[in-house]
Amino acid sequence: MRHLRALCAIADTGSLRKAARQLGMTQPSLTTQLRRIENTIGGRLFSREVTGSRPTPLGRSVLCRARPIVAEMNALVDEVRLEAGQTADARLRIGSTGSRAVVGWLRRLRARYPDADTTIHIDVSANALLQMVAANQLDVAFVHEVEGAPLRVPEGVERRVLVEREPQFVALAETHPAAARPVVPLADLAADQWMVDPSVDGEGPGLRRVLAAAGLNPRVVYGDYLTAADLVASGEVVTPCQPTARSRQGVAVRPLHGDPLTVRLFLASRAVPAVRGGADGSAPDAVVRTGATEPAPDPVSGVPIDPDATASGAPLDVDALFGDLADAYFEIAWASVAYRQWLVRNESPLLRFQEPATRDELDILGLAGPAEVS
């Protein structure tokens, strides 16, 4: 079954890298697994092309047989859970692009819904997550949108903005001359080779736009952020990174002067139809459900799901989920000294989750100013 699921994931994503992330494994491991499957079957199942991995005629034949088997196994698991009293409705499906806040968010959600089967789907592509929300494959998704590179938000998906404009920092080698600065001017990195992950929607275009606006034209290469740390530590590349990112051995994380690279953070969910009376006091307007007109099937069981139902079958309390996310995000944001300073200086809305800072706390941040004289 593991092999059949791997083949379906490669076919669905069109990429070994994306399929590996979906399956929670490394690309080399999936490549090795695919080679073993092909050796067992006796022929190539996928051809590697510039645009990705495409099934060969033999691959299409195998996939036609594999998909029903995977679907039957999923149905079997659901039926067993039902008999065990774990109803299929008792679940909460959340998605996210990579963020350190996910751990704290999951902890809070499991405390809020202790009896629910809460699952997390991580994908570097925000657009893919938004499509999954629209198709009712996820209940909510926490994503980021690169400034100047808007995401494709499907009809019927609404957004709750967590941070309207968050700075992106830069990861560079500890031995880099600019690492000695607390804040790095973009011009100090003009001679460096920048690396971005092409799977991250808007990252490449957003970086090129910022570099061009600054009159810089460094070389930009493409790679995988999961394996970028060694390249950064060796001084081969510098990369944009989240302000909540931890410094690793040999790697320094620094703010960029003037915050040229920014993103918007928001939580996406399906729009909840509102019932309201007419302006003339007449009967309520007809409820209009945007997006799909019929409930989409669950990706595991294939059973249609009420798009307005939550893990427990009650209406989805997106405001509560958003509040848990905000608390979790502030927790990891406040733990980063450099980002904490930025939050205070820019009077970020995130600060509403923190008690007013004492003078000693501000002094630690270098923001206290002169003491009052009595």
Side-chain angles (χ1 to χ4, degrees), residues 57-215:
L58 177 61
R60 288 193 291 271
S61 176
V62 172
L63 285 165
C64 284
R65 301 292 297 275
R67 292 189 189 279
I69 295 173
V70 172
E72 284 295 323
M73 178 59 74
N74 292 339
L76 172 62
V77 171
D78 273 355
E79 288 173 11
V80 172
R81 285 178 176 172
L82 283 169
E83 289 187 18
Q86 300 176 4
T87 63
D89 285 334
R91 62 176 174 271
L92 177 64
R93 305 156 303 165
I94 66 174
S96 177
T97 47
S99 172
R100 288 181 56 214
V102 166
V103 174
W105 192 24
L106 277 174
R107 184 175 67 248
R108 288 167 171 82
L109 292 178
R110 285 173 177 152
R112 183 179 296 279
Y113 300 110
D115 298 325
D117 179 14
T118 302
T119 59
I120 176 73
H121 177 84
I122 302 294
D123 197 315
V124 293
S125 171
N127 280 317
L129 291 170
L130 294 177
Q131 289 294 336
M132 292 181 72
V133 171
N136 197 29
Q137 295 172 353
L138 291 174
D139 295 307
V140 293
F142 174 44
V143 301
H144 72 273
E145 180 178 54
V146 178
E147 185 176 21
L151 297 173
R152 300 185 297 275
V153 181
E155 182 182 2
V157 172
E158 64 181 19
R159 295 173 285 184
R160 285 170 173 78
V161 176
L162 178 65
V163 182
E164 182 64 39
R165 194 170 186 270
E166 178 182 80
Q168 296 298 278
F169 288 1
V170 63
L172 64 165
E174 286 182 343
T175 55
H176 195 292
R181 292 173 172 258
V183 179
V184 179
L186 199 60
D188 285 7
L189 306 174
D192 289 280
Q193 181 170 254
W194 287 77
M195 194 194 84
V196 294
D197 190 331
S199 302
V200 181
D201 296 317
E203 195 93 319
L207 176 62
R208 291 185 182 277
R209 179 184 62 82
V210 167
L211 293 172

Side-chain angles (χ1 to χ4, degrees), residues 2 22 58 120 123 129 142 155 187-188 212 220 235 237 244 254 263 286 336 353 372:
R2 185 174 67 253
Q22 185 182 99
L58 177 61
I120 176 73
D123 197 315
L129 291 170
F142 174 44
E155 182 182 2
D188 285 7
V220 178
V237 299
T244 54
R254 297 288 184 269
V263 300
S336 166
F353 299 100
E372 294 182 0

Side-chain angles (χ1 to χ4, degrees), residues 169-172 182 241-248 251-255 338:
F169 288 1
V170 63
L172 64 165
C241 68
Q242 298 175 11
T244 54
R246 280 201 189 102
S247 293
R248 302 186 182 184
V251 177
V253 174
R254 297 288 184 269

Side-chain angles (χ1 to χ4, degrees), residues 90 173 203 214 226 238 279 315 319:
E203 195 93 319
L226 295 178
V238 299
D319 289 335

